[in-house]
Amino acid sequence: MWRGAWAAAFVSLPSMLAVAQHLVVVSSGDTAPYAQALAGVRKAGVSVEALQWGADREPDLPAVLAHAPRDTAVVALGAAAAEYAARAVPAAPVVNCMVLGNDPGASAVPLEVPVEAQLASMKRLLPNAHNVGILFDPVQNQRRAEDAAAALTRAGYTPVLEPVTGPTALPLALNRLANRVDVLFALPDTTVYARESSRALLLFSFRHQVPMVGPTEAWVKAGALYSLDWDYTDLGRYCGALAVAKLAGGKQAPPAPPRTRLVVNSRSAEQLRVSWDAEAARSFDKVYR
């Protein structure tokens, strides 16, 4: 159901049936997700030119577009690239991919996996969980946290929200969650889920026997119980298809939504006394041990 609902958000965009001549991809960095997304964009079946934005250097996107074929669209991977494209080429057809935001526009693809998919995985992997803790920076994520809490409530959970105004506020927020929650559900939040916070969050998880749903696969590798994240290659394929379709006139249905990847840590499951049957195990895309 979530796939149909999520795809409906892009109903105004046509499918990839029409062919554009050229795509220019601007990445916000050189991390693995961006590289995988770029590889996916290259599956759009058209020529692709890749640029990389950096804090110390900006690609000359206007010049690139000036020499590109007439039917050219831009795919911006990440928030920094999206902001740069909006500033550098405001009139160009752009699809913003892997961006944070509660209300992505018709040409924006959010970084976070839809909450309906997250809750479906939680029900399957943690069927006894009821009280769900959410740590969030109010500056970044007040509305996202409230929307997640509303979705949790609709699904029968009791959300427990704890604001974290900065790194020094995290220990107190974790203390307030102790003995109150059955699971810690991560939102995309650079304040809470910064690398330097990983030790405190994972220690809390194991000491209090509170499984942590990590924001990314890297967190699962470090010790979070599981994460549901995008298949970034397929996400890039989807964003490329939207960019190709954007040049086609908006008459066809949108392409199929991108796939997700369910990654689990079996050693963490043992330490947290969580077990899964064979049916659940068949849904795992990767297992860390």
Side-chain angles (χ1 to χ4, degrees):
M1 292 178 61
W2 72 269
R3 285 178 176 265
W6 196 69
F10 303 100
V11 70
S12 63
L13 291 169
S15 72
M16 60 183 296
L17 296 179
V19 178
Q21 293 179 325
H22 194 62
L23 296 180
V24 177
V25 180
V26 184
S27 299
S28 294
D30 59 357
T31 62
Y34 291 137
Q36 293 162 13
L38 173 60
V41 175
R42 293 189 186 278
K43 296 182 178 182
V46 300
S47 61
V48 173
E49 186 172 358
L51 305 174
Q52 185 172 307
W53 181 90
D56 57 345
R57 61 183 178 87
E58 290 187 346
D60 194 352
L61 184 56
V64 170
L65 292 183
H67 293 90
R70 181 175 60 85
D71 291 332
T72 296
V74 175
V75 178
L77 301 178
E83 292 170 4
Y84 167 65
R87 182 177 72 253
V89 288
V94 178
V95 170
N96 294 323
C97 189
M98 301 168 64
V99 294
L100 291 174
N102 292 287
D103 292 311
S107 296
V109 180
L111 179 64
E112 59 266 39
V113 173
V115 67
E116 294 86 356
Q118 294 283 2
L119 297 185
S121 293
M122 190 183 300
K123 284 185 177 294
R124 185 169 70 253
L125 300 183
L126 296 169
N128 296 322
H130 182 69
N131 300 313
V132 180
I134 297 178
L135 297 162
F136 68 100
D137 180 350
V139 174
Q140 289 188 41
N141 276 326
Q142 182 70 44
R143 183 172 175 184
R144 184 179 287 109
E146 292 171 353
D147 289 347
L152 285 162
T153 300
R154 290 193 299 269
Y157 292 101
T158 299
V160 182
L161 272 58
E162 278 294 339
V164 179
T165 55
T168 58
L170 180 60
L172 289 176
L174 287 171
N175 286 339
R176 289 192 293 269
L177 288 179
N179 303 316
R180 296 177 61 203
V181 298
D182 308 313
V183 59
L184 191 61
F185 176 63
L187 296 177
D189 193 303
T190 58
T191 298
V192 176
Y193 294 98
R195 180 177 297 181
E196 55 269 24
S197 301
S198 60
R199 178 177 173 83
L201 288 160
L202 292 170
L203 281 176
F204 172 86
S205 173
F206 292 119
R207 285 176 176 172
H208 296 276
Q209 292 290 283
V210 175
M212 176 179 166
V213 180
T216 64
E217 180 177 334
W219 279 85
V220 179
K221 185 177 182 180
L225 180 62
Y226 77 87
S227 74
L228 184 70
D229 203 358
W230 292 120
D231 176 326
Y232 286 103
T233 301
D234 199 49
L235 184 66
R237 182 274 312 167
Y238 179 76
C239 293
L242 292 180
V244 169
K246 196 173 181 68
L247 298 172
K251 296 180 180 179
Q252 293 89 14
R259 295 187 299 270
T260 54
R261 296 180 72 250
L262 180 58
V263 181
V264 305
N265 188 313
S266 62
R267 183 175 181 182
S268 296
E270 292 173 1
Q271 293 177 332
L272 293 166
R273 298 183 180 88
V274 174
S275 60
W276 295 303
D277 59 22
E279 182 179 359
R282 282 193 290 271
S283 67
F284 301 161
D285 292 286
K286 188 171 184 177
V287 178
Y288 286 99
R289 302 186 187 280

